[in-house]
Amino acid sequence: MKIFAVGKNYIQHNKEMEGALYKPEEPVIFLKADSALLKDKKPFFLPEELGRIDYETELVVRISRLGKSIPQRFAHRYYDAVTVGIDFTARDLQQRLKEKGLPWERSKGFDGSAAIGEWVPVEKFRDIQAIHFHLDINGKTVQEGCTSDMLYRVDELIAFISQWFTLKTGDILYTGTPAGVGPVHIDDHLEGWLEVYKVMEFNVK
């Protein structure tokens, strides 16, 4: 199983992080290790040695068939379910690595950094590019977004990624985070929502 993730896919998040409204020339793709996956309401153990850990709430797509070099017009045939996920980011470490011009997988792919909720069939939604999602921490909404605001749409991402990586059944794709990222702390209770469906719930320890 491969865990793909997309950076800089919401323009307001780009302004939030870099102070500018812009669209990357092409999708920003990175991968997480399979040991990063956190599911089944298991707690997230805060790796304090990494410094500040931020939540980044995202729509996650499940790949449902084998594909390579997929034309965009056929990309919708290659996924069957969506959920909410959190791309946990070691923000201090990421910044240090960026400043040195080094790869920043360590700040994104550490164990437990890919929290994921329960899958909902895509048929439950009118349009994958019109899904609202949000994250609550301790009963308060801290981040929300809509897939209509993506700079690169789901089908575009799948077509792009499949040029270099063969997609396999069970691979997952984190599609990018909107504005509103922030830190998590020990004893936080997180709940992820996809429209009216609460699909994710776990604690930080």
Side-chain angles (χ1 to χ4, degrees), residues 5-40:
V6 181
K8 304 180 181 180
N9 203 28
Y10 287 80
I11 199 165
Q12 291 297 333
H13 175 62
N14 296 345
K15 181 178 181 181
E16 171 182 63
M17 299 305 296
E18 301 184 27
L21 296 169
Y22 74 97
K23 179 178 180 178
E25 292 184 5
E26 60 183 21
V28 177
I29 306 298
F30 60 96
L31 289 91
K32 288 175 175 272
D34 58 3
S35 59
L37 200 63
L38 181 70
K39 58 182 181 177
D40 301 328

Side-chain angles (χ1 to χ4, degrees), residues 73-107:
R73 66 184 183 278
F74 297 138
H76 66 279
R77 301 178 181 177
Y78 288 82
Y79 53 88
D80 65 352
V82 294
T83 190
V84 167
I86 297 178
D87 168 20
F88 282 116
T89 303
R91 192 67 71 197
D92 297 336
L93 175 59
Q94 183 189 41
Q95 188 59 38
R96 292 198 301 272
L97 293 169
K98 282 184 174 181
E99 289 172 356
K100 295 178 180 179
L102 297 173
W104 33 267
E105 277 80 4
R106 280 192 294 145
S107 68

Side-chain angles (χ1 to χ4, degrees), residues 26-90:
E26 60 183 21
V28 177
I29 306 298
F30 60 96
L31 289 91
K32 288 175 175 272
D34 58 3
S35 59
L37 200 63
L38 181 70
K39 58 182 181 177
D40 301 328
K41 298 186 178 181
K42 293 180 180 178
F44 173 66
F45 290 96
L46 197 66
E48 295 183 333
E49 70 278 5
L50 294 182
R52 170 174 165 161
I53 304 296
D54 281 1
Y55 57 81
E56 297 189 7
T57 313
E58 314 193 4
L59 180 87
V60 185
V61 177
R62 183 174 70 188
I63 302 301
S64 59
R65 60 188 294 190
L66 183 72
K68 171 70 174 174
S69 300
I70 302 165
Q72 184 177 322
R73 66 184 183 278
F74 297 138
H76 66 279
R77 301 178 181 177
Y78 288 82
Y79 53 88
D80 65 352
V82 294
T83 190
V84 167
I86 297 178
D87 168 20
F88 282 116
T89 303

Side-chain angles (χ1 to χ4, degrees), residues 36-191:
L37 200 63
L38 181 70
K39 58 182 181 177
D40 301 328
K41 298 186 178 181
K42 293 180 180 178
F44 173 66
F45 290 96
L46 197 66
E48 295 183 333
E49 70 278 5
L50 294 182
R52 170 174 165 161
I53 304 296
D54 281 1
Y55 57 81
E56 297 189 7
T57 313
E58 314 193 4
L59 180 87
V60 185
V61 177
R62 183 174 70 188
I63 302 301
S64 59
R65 60 188 294 190
L66 183 72
K68 171 70 174 174
S69 300
I70 302 165
Q72 184 177 322
R73 66 184 183 278
F74 297 138
H76 66 279
R77 301 178 181 177
Y78 288 82
Y79 53 88
D80 65 352
V82 294
T83 190
V84 167
I86 297 178
D87 168 20
F88 282 116
T89 303
R91 192 67 71 197
D92 297 336
L93 175 59
Q94 183 189 41
Q95 188 59 38
R96 292 198 301 272
L97 293 169
K98 282 184 174 181
E99 289 172 356
K100 295 178 180 179
L102 297 173
W104 33 267
E105 277 80 4
R106 280 192 294 145
S107 68
K108 287 281 194 178
F110 56 90
D111 288 354
S113 63
I116 194 166
E118 299 172 1
W119 295 107
V120 180
V122 292
E123 291 81 10
K124 295 282 188 181
F125 305 97
R126 176 182 57 83
D127 183 352
I128 197 171
Q129 296 300 157
I131 298 176
H132 291 84
F133 58 94
H134 69 272
L135 174 69
D136 292 353
I137 297 183
N138 304 326
K140 179 182 177 182
T141 298
V142 296
Q143 189 179 19
E144 52 190 331
C146 182
T147 57
S148 62
D149 294 327
M150 286 181 179
L151 296 174
Y152 290 98
R153 298 160 70 90
V154 171
D155 291 359
E156 291 179 89
L157 295 172
I158 288 174
F160 182 81
I161 291 169
S162 69
Q163 294 178 57
W164 291 276
F165 302 95
T166 298
L167 299 182
K168 295 184 177 182
T169 302
D171 288 348
I172 58 178
L173 170 61
Y174 285 67
T175 58
T177 192
V181 304
V184 291
H185 307 90
I186 291 175
D187 294 329
D188 279 347
H189 180 70
L190 280 66
E191 296 175 309

